[in-house]
Each structure stands twice: as structure tokens, then as C-alpha cells.
């Protein structure tokens, strides 16, 4: 037999198929070790044949075959081709997406424990062997137990007695694989619900529409989760599998609990926060078919499932569905590929669909399903705008408007809970010398440092570098330092002095660590061990806390300041999502939205929950000014530690693009090259070729350019409709 192998080296020079001889058991999808250039390296078998395609004397044998069951499902090979040609990455890079990184490095293995099963307990035991007799009696007394824990028996009766009984045939000691179970504590009670009429017709529409992709646009609290679960249950019942994507799984323990309560061991979780062992086990449970539902963030789209019956992408508008490392894939695009391959439905859901997805739905490409009301006709929370300019002129320069303070007081008096949202962590965003204007910056990045009060230090939010707080200005020696830009730590400090009795929790990147970090905080809050939860966008995600009746949005328009065609869209989404946490149960909710430009149209639409109005306005603008989805924004990034080499590469890339433009002027709406707004991150200088194009026509050329100009010292990569231009 001969195996066609892709070696696990992500380099264009070895990006082809090599042939090795192999034993009969090897099949497509197997992971192998093969001799290559004088050493042994890992590879993937992508096909086998009876006859070689080159002279047999030139063929070396496969050195080792890894798994009994081929790790890669057959679909991987078709996706590998599509991904590597779409994003111009070596086939090995595309295949790597389908395997947990830890598994590739061979660091994790199955974990085993020994169990004891009872055999023939009528065997004769001498009276003197007291421990053996005691053990036999114990086994007899517990005859209903199918298997005993080996080490527990050893502790109780001694390892010798256990061994002796094994030798005599009274018991068998068996090595059994154990599954390391992530989020073990996260289980809820199984709730069976009758679908509301709206949910019912949504399910019906999905099942009967001939379209491949379905977009559920349902207001926050409209019960989208239940729709997903019904679809999944149906597919499982039909013997199929399902993929369920959520933006950040550790932020949605309630969703996880519901899933596990309903589907038990059939659901497996794929998440970057899991330990290597947990990931390994969950992944294999899916591969062997023991588990049939893959739940996870972006990378779970590569779950090793066959016979997929539905793919669900919750909160489809989230930026986290775009990969930030090569290949810079769009999860929705991969999801579409898999849905086509499996001929199954792809269901996208959001209270605030991305403009692009909604436009496709309006155009009829997607089946659009609209849920306009919350479950049980619960009202949407009322949004009150607090004009912070007026607050200032009234002499209130604190982070809280009078309206928000009053509402917080009411909420606390009523024994309810509040969420305060602010998208800035730390104590203050920057520190400025009042005498000379000096601003502290990171030594490795072109970024201002944030003051963190808890450890009295300055931190870089881009590279994580930590600096001691400055006793005085390093430029002029002045000691009058201004703290500018309130962060979450300061908000908590201010709330503590405003409401000394209130119990306050904070949730941001500094307070959470590990996969349980979020869970612990959210759990505490849901058990009402705190009155106020302060946090960054983490608090905006799909949480369902019945006692929350107030949401405060401290700086609604902060994201409007960025010069980016999507800033309006992002602001609308954020306001709607955070507001959606309020009043989800019986008591009506309120939202106080603080702004320095309350007349902004985005806020107007958000306050009225007018998604359609927002969308129509947005697409009108984007059409007129040629922005996505009516054009493509493309950025070719050129970065490197050596500034001269980076600039040289930038010039070459630019002139290649320019000559494309000169031959096809109509296609290019805009083209420029420049330093990126953040000039340096982690010692790497950043430059960009920025353009807007009428179509995706030249994308393959741009990806080729990136490959061509990437070297040991300069990294060049393409971003399509990037979610930020910093
Ligand atoms: P969404 O994801 O649309 O924001 P959820 O799925 O979280 O909404 O549902 C909102 C609330 O409504 C949850 O508390 C959920 O338990 C409840 N709910 C959903 N469907 C039903 C139903 N059919 N009957 C009763 N309650 C429901
Ligand atoms: Zn830095």
C-alpha cells in the first residue's frame, strides 16, 4: 500500500503531496510519522492507493501510525483544498485547523484509571488471609456495584489483598479510559418548555424553507436559544450531529448548563480555555461518535463530526468569529462550506445582525426570520439618555449622571440588581503630567499605558508589559499627575463611596483567569451575592439574570470616535446587547445611557430598538460612499522589527497593487499606503496598504503578494473588511 502524505510543515516549499509505503491498516485521515529530509516528522495521510505513482525504489516507508481511528474526517480534505486556495495558506496549515494544537505536538495522551470487576468469588481463601476475606465480603455485600475503584480498594484492604484476589480469579483489574470533563460543575436542571407561537413558526420556517442559510433576527430575550435546542434535538433524534457556535463559551454558563441538562454526554465542549487533557478527550469523544454536538467558540467550526445535520452560529455579528491569526478565516464562510458539504442548514442568530448578513437576508439569499417580541410579551427595557454635557455644566464631573445615581439607589432599595458597562479596564486610561504634558507610553508598543490601582502599576494592554507607577514625571520631574479616562477599577471605587453598603463585583480581563474565572463571577452574581456588576463588554453577552432591572452604559459613544465604517454598527450592537440584560423576568427593566453626543443618529435608533431603521440608514450611507457590503475594504499589513526592511517590503507591495490599479482604474475606489495608526506593537513596526475596491476580484492577487513578500524578518498579511484599523 502507498500513502499520500502532507507533511506537517507550514511552508510553501513543501506544500505538496509526498508518497510513502505503508501497511494495510493505514487510511486517509491517519496521522503518521515519516522520514523527511533526514529526520522524522509528522504528517497527514490524505489518501492511499495500491500502486505507487513513482518508482517504488524511491519510496520510503511510513515510520509510525498514530491513532487507531484516523483523526481527520473525510470532509477535511475537501475543506483543506478550499481553505488553502481561498486564503493562500499551505495545505498543512489548513489541516492543522482540524486538530487541537496540543494533539499535534503529541503532548497529551488519554488518561486511564484502574477499575475492579468481580469474577468468581466462590474461590477458596485460607482463613489466615483476613484482608482477602474482608475484601471478598465487601464485594459480596456490594454485589449491585458494577465496577469498583481500584485505588480505593487498595487503600481500604491493601494492594496485596487486591492483587492476590486477582491472581485467584476472584476479581479482574481493568484499565479504563477516563474522560476529563470540562466545566464539570456547570449543569442545570432540565427544563421542558412549550414553544411560544413565535418560536414554533421560526422552527417551522427553518425546516420548510428551501434556503441553505437562515438568519434569526430576534430581539434580546425573544427565546432564540430554545429554537436552536429544538433544531439540535431533532437532528440528534435523526442520528445526525450538530455544531453550535457561541462567541465566548465561558461567558455563557447558563447556555452551557441548559445544553448539558438536555443533551447530557452527547454534547462536547471545545474551548481554548480547557486544559490540554480535557480538550483531547472532548475532541475524541466527538471523533468516535460518542458525542454528537460540538459546542464552542470560533474553532469549534472545525469539529471532527460527520453527518452534520445543522450548524448554528449564535450572536453571528460578533467580531470574534474572525480569526486573528493565519489563516485569517471568517467562521461564517467556513460554516457555509461545511453546510454545503453536509447538505445541511446553517442557522445564524442575533438581536443585532451584522449589516452584511442582514443585507443578504433582505436580498433573499438567506431565509429571514424575525422575532419582534420577548417571550411572554415582556416589555423591552426603557432607555433613558443622560446628556453628560449638561451634567458637566451643572458641575457634575463624576462618571455618573444624576439619573444613573437615582436609578441605582432605587434598584438597591428594591433589592434588585444592576449592571454597569464601561469598555475600558484598569483605573485610568492614561496618566498625563500636568506641567509638561508628558504621557506615559509602552517601551515596546506605540500605546499609552493604563494605570491599574490594584497593583499600583502601569500596564500595556497590547503586549501586557507592566511598569512601576511613576513617582514623578520622567521629563520634567513634576509631581502633578492627571488621571484621564475612567476605567472599571475607578468605577468600582467611585460606586463604593457612593453606595457604601452595596456589594460590587467587577468582571474584565484583569479579574478573570482560567476557564472558570468568568463562571465564578457570573455565578456569584446570579446567586445574588452581589448587587452591582461592573464590567467591560464581557457583561454585554447573552446573560440572563432575572433580578437585573437596571443597566448603566457609561460611555455609549466611545466606540463612535473611531474612524471606521463599522463604528456606528458596533455602537448600535453594543447598546442593544447591554440593554438587553435588563428586565428579562417579571419586573420591567430600565437602561441609563450616558452620552456626550445624545443627538447622534445611532443612539436615536438604539433607544427606540429600531434595528430596521438603523439598517436602512446604514446601507443607504454605505451604498452612496462605497463601503461594505457594497465594496470591499482591504488592508495589507506589513510588519517587522527592522523598520527599513518593513518599509522596503511596503513599497514593493504598494507598487504591485498600484500597477493593478493602473490597469483597472474602475475597480479601485481608494488606495493609499501609510504607517498604521498604532505605529509599533511588541517591537514590530506596522505599515499598511489600505484600499477600497468594488469587488473581491483581486483578492487572490493580494494574498499572493502577502506570501511573496513575507520573509524571515517581515510579515505581510491581508485583512478583508477588518474589524478595526488600528
Ligand atoms: P435570547 O437568546 O433570544 O436573548 P433566551 O433564549 O435567553 O433569549 O430566552 C429568554 C428568556 O425566555 C429565558 O429566560 C428563557 O428561559 C425564557 N424562555 C425561552 N423560551 C421560552 C418558552 N417557550 N417558554 C417560557 N420561557 C421561555
Ligand atoms: Zn506594550
Amino acid at each position: 500500500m502507498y500513502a499520500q502524505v502532507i507533511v506537517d510543515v507550514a511552508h510553501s516549499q513543501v506544500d505538496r503531496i509526498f508518497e510513502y509505503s505503508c501497511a494495510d491498516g493505514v487510511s486517509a485521515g491517519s496521522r503518521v510519522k515519516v522520514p523527511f529530509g533526514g529526520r522524522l516528522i509528522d504528517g497527514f495521510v490524505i489518501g492511499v492507493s495500491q500502486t505507487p505513482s513513482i518508482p517504488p525504489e524511491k519510496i520510503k516507508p511510513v515510520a509510525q501510525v498514530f491513532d487507531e481511528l484516523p483523526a481527520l474526517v473525510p470532509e477535511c480534505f475537501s475543506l483543506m483544498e478550499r481553505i488553502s486556495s481561498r486564503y493562500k495558506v499551505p495545505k498543512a496549515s489548513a489541516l492543522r485547523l482540524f486538530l487541537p494544537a496540543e494533539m499535534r505536538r503529541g503532548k497529551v495522551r488519554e488518561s486511564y484509571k484502574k477499575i475492579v470487576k468481580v469474577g468468581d468469588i466462590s474461590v477458596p481463601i485460607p482463613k489466615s488471609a483476613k484482608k482477602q476475606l474482608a475484601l471478598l465480603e465487601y464485594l459480596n455485600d456490594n454485589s449491585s456495584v458494577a465496577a469498583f475503584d481500584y485505588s480505593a480498594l487498595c487503600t481500604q484492604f491493601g494492594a496485596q489483598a487486591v492483587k492476590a484476589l486477582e491472581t485467584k480469579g476472584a476479581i479482574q483489574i481493568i484499565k479504563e479510559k477516563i474522560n476529563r470533563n470540562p466545566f464539570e460543575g456547570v449543569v442545570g436542571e432540565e427544563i421542558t418548555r412549550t414553544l411560544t407561537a413565535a418560536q414554533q413558526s421560526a422552527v417551522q420556517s427553518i425546516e420548510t424553507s428551501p434556503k441553505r442559510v437562515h438568519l434569526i433576527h430576534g430581539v434580546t430575550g425573544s427565546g432564540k436559544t430554545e429554537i436552536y435546542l429544538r433544531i439540535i434535538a431533532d437532528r440528534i433524534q435523526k442520528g445526525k450531529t450538530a455544531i453550535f457556535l457561541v462567541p465566548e463559551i465561558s461567558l455563557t454558563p447558563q447556555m452551557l448548563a441548559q445544553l448539558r441538562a438536555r443533551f447530557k454526554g452527547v454534547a462536547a465542549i471545545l474551548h481554548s480555555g480547557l486544559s490540554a487533557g480535557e480538550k483531547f478527550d472532548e475532541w475524541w469523544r466527538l471523533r468516535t461518535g460518542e458525542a454528537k454536538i460540538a459546542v464552542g467558540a470560533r474553532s469549534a467550526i472545525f469539529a471532527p463530526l460527520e453527518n452534520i445535520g445543522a450548524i448554528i452560529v449564535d450572536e453571528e455579528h460578533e467580531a470574534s468569529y474572525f480569526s486573528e491569526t493565519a489563516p485569517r478565516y471568517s467562521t461564517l464562510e467556513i460554516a457555509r462550506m461545511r453546510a454545503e458539504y453536509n447538505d445541511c442548514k446553517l442557522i445564524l442568530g442575533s438581536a443585532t445582525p451584522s449589516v452584511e448578513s442582514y443585507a443578504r437576508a433582505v436580498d433573499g439569499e438567506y431565509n429571514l426570520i424575525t422575532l419582534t417580541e420577548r417571550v411572554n410579551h415582556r416589555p423591552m427595557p426603557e432607555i433613558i439618555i443622560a446628556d453628560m454635557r449638561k451634567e458637566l455644566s451643572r458641575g457634575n464631573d463624576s462618571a455618573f449622571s444624576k439619573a444613573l445615581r437615582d436609578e441605582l439607589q432605587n434598584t438597591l432599595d428594591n433589592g434588585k440588581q444592576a449592571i454597569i458597562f464601561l469598555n475600558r479596564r484598569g483605573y485610568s486610561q492614561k496618566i498625563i503630567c500636568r506641567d509638561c504634558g508628558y504621557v506615559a507610553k509602552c517601551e515596546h508598543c506605540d500605546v499609552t499605558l493604563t494605570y491599574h490601582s490594584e497593583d499600583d502599576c502601569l500596564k500595556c494592554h497590547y503586549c501586557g508589559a507592566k511598569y512601576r507607577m511613576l513617582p514623578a514625571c520622567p521629563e520634567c520631574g513634576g509631581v502633578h499627575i492627571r488621571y484621564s479616562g475612567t476605567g472599571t477599577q475607578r468605577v468600582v471605587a467611585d460606586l463604593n463611596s457612593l453606595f457604601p453598603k452595596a456589594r460590587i463585583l467587577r468582571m474584565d480581563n484583569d479579574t478573570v483567569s482560567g476557564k472558570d474565572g468568568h463562571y465564578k463571577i457570573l455565578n456569584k452574581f446570579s446567586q445574588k451575592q452581589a448587587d452591582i456588576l461592573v464590567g467591560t463588554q464581557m457583561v454585554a453577552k447573552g446573560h440572563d439574570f432575572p433580578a437585573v432591572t437596571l443597566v448603566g452604559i457609561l460611555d455609549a459613544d466611545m466606540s463612535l470616535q473611531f474612524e471606521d465604517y463599522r463604528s456606528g454598527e458596533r455602537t448600535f450592537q453594543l447598546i442593544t446587547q447591554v440593554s438587553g440584560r435588563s428586565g428579562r423576568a417579571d419586573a420591567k427593566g430600565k437602561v441609563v445611557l450616558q452620552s456626550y453626543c445624545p443627538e447622534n443618529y445611532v443612539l436615536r435608533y438604539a433607544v427606540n430598538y429600531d434595528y430596521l431603521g438603523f439598517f436602512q440608514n446604514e446601507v443607504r450611507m454605505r451604498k452612496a460612499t462605497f463601503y461594505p457590503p457594497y465594496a470591499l475594504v482591504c488592508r495589507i499589513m506589513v510588519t517587522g522589527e527592522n523598520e527599513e526592511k518593513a518599509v522596503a517590503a511596503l513599497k514593493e507591495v504598494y507598487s504591485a497593487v498600484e500597477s493593478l490599479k493602473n490597469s483597472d482604474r474602475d475597480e479601485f475606489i481608494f488606495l493609499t499606503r501609510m504607517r498604521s495608526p498604532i505605529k509599533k506593537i511588541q517591537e514590530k513596526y506596522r505599515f499598511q496598504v489600505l484600499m477600497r475596491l468594488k469587488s473581491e476580484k483581486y483578492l487572490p492577487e493580494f494574498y499572493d503578494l502577502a506570501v511573496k513578500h513575507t520573509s524571515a524578518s517581515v510579515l505581510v498579511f491581508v485583512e478583508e473588511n477588518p474589524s478595526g484599523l488600528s
Side-chain angles (χ1 to χ4, degrees):
M1 291 272 282
Y2 298 90
Q4 285 83 52
V5 173
I6 297 219
V7 291
D8 192 7
V9 178
H11 200 289
S12 51
Q13 275 167 13
V14 294
D15 189 24
R16 49 202 165 87
I17 296 164
F18 297 91
E19 202 159 38
Y20 292 89
S21 61
C22 64
D24 274 358
V26 177
S27 57
S30 294
R31 292 186 307 141
V32 289
K33 250 196 188 354
V34 291
F36 191 83
R39 57 198 179 105
L40 288 180
I41 60 170
D42 289 351
F44 310 100
V45 177
I46 65 158
V48 288
S49 59
Q50 292 294 340
T51 47
S53 59
I54 51 172
E57 62 274 14
K58 288 195 177 164
I59 299 182
K60 289 183 186 145
V62 164
Q64 191 188 343
V65 183
F66 281 111
D67 320 296
E68 276 169 43
L69 178 70
L72 299 171
V73 299
E75 187 188 350
C76 292
F77 309 122
S78 125
L79 282 179
M80 167 190 81
E81 298 289 352
R82 292 187 72 176
I83 291 168
S84 83
S85 76
R86 168 71 174 82
Y87 300 104
K88 298 285 162 107
V89 291
K91 292 186 179 67
S93 310
L95 284 179
R96 281 177 185 178
L97 295 168
F98 294 91
L99 294 170
E102 291 78 4
M103 201 163 121
R104 278 186 38 240
R105 289 182 223 116
K107 281 196 195 122
V108 276
R109 295 269 168 269
E110 292 93 348
S111 139
Y112 290 95
K113 70 170 180 188
K114 283 182 184 167
I115 57 161
V116 169
K117 288 199 171 169
V118 177
D120 175 16
I121 50 172
S122 61
V123 294
I125 308 284
K127 282 229 158 56
S128 58
K130 293 221 169 64
K131 284 195 173 158
Q132 293 180 37
L133 285 171
L135 173 51
L136 261 193
E137 194 182 328
Y138 175 81
L139 296 176
N140 218 356
D141 289 350
N142 295 284
S143 57
S144 59
V145 178
F148 298 86
D149 184 51
Y150 169 77
S151 47
L153 292 184
C154 288
T155 317
Q156 206 176 339
F157 303 98
Q160 271 182 336
V162 179
K163 270 271 171 252
L165 283 194
E166 189 200 15
T167 317
K168 289 172 183 159
I171 57 170
Q172 293 157 310
I173 301 172
I174 301 163
K175 233 172 111 179
E176 189 175 73
K177 186 166 174 269
I178 49 173
N179 277 320
R180 286 153 285 196
N181 187 357
F183 298 101
E184 203 146 27
V186 188
V187 263
E189 276 166 45
E190 184 171 355
I191 312 166
T192 27
R193 295 194 185 93
T194 327
L195 292 187
T196 62
Q199 287 168 328
Q200 184 77 52
S201 70
V203 171
Q204 198 146 11
S205 169
I206 291 169
E207 299 297 20
T208 53
S209 160
K211 287 180 183 158
R212 166 94 56 222
V213 189
H214 307 258
L215 175 64
I216 307 179
H217 171 217
V219 297
T220 55
S222 57
K224 295 184 285 295
T225 315
E226 190 61 39
I227 299 172
Y228 307 145
L229 297 185
R230 286 298 165 112
I231 302 275
I232 295 174
D234 172 80
R235 300 308 188 266
I236 300 304
Q237 203 234 328
K238 291 185 173 130
K240 296 189 175 215
T241 64
I243 297 180
F244 185 8
L245 301 184
V246 292
E248 174 52 274
I249 194 158
S250 51
L251 283 174
T252 42
Q254 289 154 328
M255 169 100 82
L256 203 56
Q258 273 189 60
L259 252 155
R260 298 188 132 198
R262 201 165 301 188
F263 298 108
K264 316 269 177 344
V266 176
I269 294 151
L270 299 175
H271 178 246
S272 60
L274 303 188
S275 74
E278 289 170 339
K279 235 188 268 180
F280 185 88
D281 289 352
E282 288 292 86
W283 193 89
W284 275 108
R285 287 204 315 120
L286 288 164
R287 178 64 189 101
T288 57
E290 181 191 326
K292 296 181 190 310
I293 308 166
V295 190
R298 176 172 81 215
S299 62
I301 193 59
F302 299 103
L305 287 170
E306 293 177 89
N307 195 14
I308 300 172
I311 301 175
I312 290 157
V313 185
D314 191 24
E315 310 290 0
E316 66 88 31
H317 62 278
E318 285 271 339
S320 66
Y321 284 124
F322 291 91
S323 167
E324 280 162 5
T325 51
R328 290 181 164 67
Y329 64 86
S330 138
T331 307
L332 292 188
E333 220 174 287
I334 309 283
R336 246 186 328 254
M337 293 179 188
R338 291 204 82 171
E340 279 163 22
Y341 183 95
N342 289 277
D343 193 19
C344 72
K345 300 199 182 267
L346 168 59
I347 299 147
L348 316 178
S350 175
T352 51
S354 71
V355 168
E356 197 201 334
S357 291
Y358 201 81
R360 287 183 189 229
V362 171
D363 290 347
E365 184 186 339
Y366 296 171
N367 175 31
L368 179 63
I369 296 156
T370 311
L371 304 171
T372 52
E373 271 196 25
R374 284 186 161 182
V375 169
N376 295 334
H377 311 290
R378 281 173 199 144
M380 299 303 290
E382 177 196 356
I383 306 183
I384 306 160
I385 292 191
D387 186 339
M388 294 310 277
R389 290 170 310 195
K390 286 192 187 139
E391 297 284 326
L392 256 183
S393 65
R394 280 194 216 111
N396 174 13
D397 62 354
S398 80
F400 307 95
S401 58
K402 182 169 185 310
L404 182 53
R405 278 200 310 258
D406 292 347
E407 290 299 338
L408 271 169
Q409 190 63 60
N410 280 341
T411 307
L412 294 170
D413 291 346
N414 293 332
K416 298 287 186 191
Q417 291 176 300
I419 292 179
I420 304 289
F421 165 79
L422 171 72
N423 218 358
R424 199 186 278 147
R425 63 195 179 93
Y427 186 86
S428 66
Q429 189 189 21
K430 49 181 163 181
I431 57 163
I432 305 163
C433 171
R434 281 185 199 270
D435 298 329
C436 74
Y438 166 85
V439 179
K441 280 193 164 186
C442 180
E443 286 168 13
H444 317 286
C445 314
D446 169 44
V447 170
T448 59
L449 294 172
T450 302
Y451 176 61
H452 284 246
S453 58
E454 282 174 346
D455 20 14
D456 191 34
C457 72
L458 297 168
K459 280 190 199 169
C460 171
H461 286 183
Y462 281 80
C463 73
K466 224 168 151 175
Y467 303 82
R468 261 193 307 175
M469 178 55 188
L470 304 168
C473 173
E475 294 281 317
C476 73
V479 290
H480 304 289
I481 285 176
R482 190 162 72 90
Y483 295 85
S484 150
T486 299
T488 47
Q489 291 181 354
R490 181 161 189 179
V491 168
V492 171
D494 291 356
L495 283 173
N496 270 325
S497 50
L498 281 172
F499 306 101
K501 288 205 194 103
R503 298 161 301 167
I504 303 168
L505 279 174
R506 198 181 94 219
M507 186 160 88
D508 55 36
N509 268 330
D510 301 302
T511 61
V512 296
S513 57
K515 66 175 192 292
D516 299 334
H518 300 106
Y519 178 59
K520 282 186 195 137
I521 297 173
L522 293 171
N523 208 30
K524 240 181 170 172
F525 192 60
S526 83
Q527 290 177 357
K528 295 191 78 176
Q529 290 169 31
D531 308 300
I532 306 175
L533 175 66
V534 175
T536 52
Q537 59 203 358
M538 292 178 182
V539 302
K541 311 291 155 154
H543 314 301
D544 192 33
F545 300 116
V548 171
T549 55
L550 175 66
V551 161
I553 304 176
L554 293 196
D555 51 356
D557 30 45
M558 193 162 81
S559 58
L560 284 174
Q561 296 161 11
F562 300 116
E563 302 239 347
D564 174 357
Y565 74 92
R566 257 200 288 240
S567 63
E569 180 179 356
R570 216 163 307 120
T571 304
F572 182 88
Q573 287 165 347
L574 203 52
I575 294 173
T576 310
Q577 295 290 345
V578 195
S579 303
R581 303 313 115 209
S582 182
R584 288 170 75 88
D586 300 327
K588 188 170 187 310
K590 266 192 187 167
V591 177
V592 177
L593 187 154
Q594 301 188 164
S595 170
Y596 284 94
C597 50
E599 60 285 338
N600 184 287
Y601 74 97
V602 175
L603 304 197
R604 291 284 143 205
Y605 287 121
V607 165
N608 294 316
Y609 296 102
D610 185 6
Y611 177 85
L612 201 59
F614 164 77
F615 171 80
Q616 283 163 347
N617 185 67
E618 192 72 19
V619 291
R620 202 180 313 118
M621 270 173 10
R622 293 197 196 177
K623 213 175 219 162
T625 51
F626 286 109
Y627 272 98
Y630 306 100
L632 172 75
V633 173
C634 184
R635 173 160 90 152
I636 307 180
M637 287 294 296
V638 181
T639 74
E641 285 190 23
N642 183 321
E643 195 170 1
E644 272 171 36
K645 284 185 182 165
V647 170
L650 174 78
K651 284 184 178 158
E652 283 177 33
V653 171
Y654 180 79
S655 78
V657 176
E658 204 177 27
S659 59
L660 280 177
K661 181 185 163 184
N662 289 337
S663 66
D664 191 356
R665 292 201 164 265
D666 266 1
E667 182 66 15
F668 285 75
I669 304 156
F670 174 82
L671 170 66
T672 185
R673 65 169 179 198
M674 60 189 195
R675 261 183 205 282
S676 300
I678 299 181
K679 298 178 190 69
K680 189 173 79 170
I681 294 180
Q682 283 189 292
E683 301 297 353
K684 291 202 174 71
Y685 292 93
R686 307 169 79 243
F687 299 90
Q688 62 196 31
V689 175
L690 192 61
M691 54 197 137
R692 249 161 49 231
L693 303 118
K694 291 211 174 124
S695 75
E696 299 184 347
K697 186 163 140 191
Y698 290 120
L699 261 184
E701 271 87 346
F702 300 152
Y703 277 100
D704 281 338
L705 276 176
V707 173
K708 191 172 147 203
H709 293 282
T710 291
S711 63
S713 48
V714 181
L715 173 67
V716 184
F717 58 89
V718 178
E719 292 177 339
E720 301 168 33
N721 296 334
S723 58
L725 288 176
S726 58

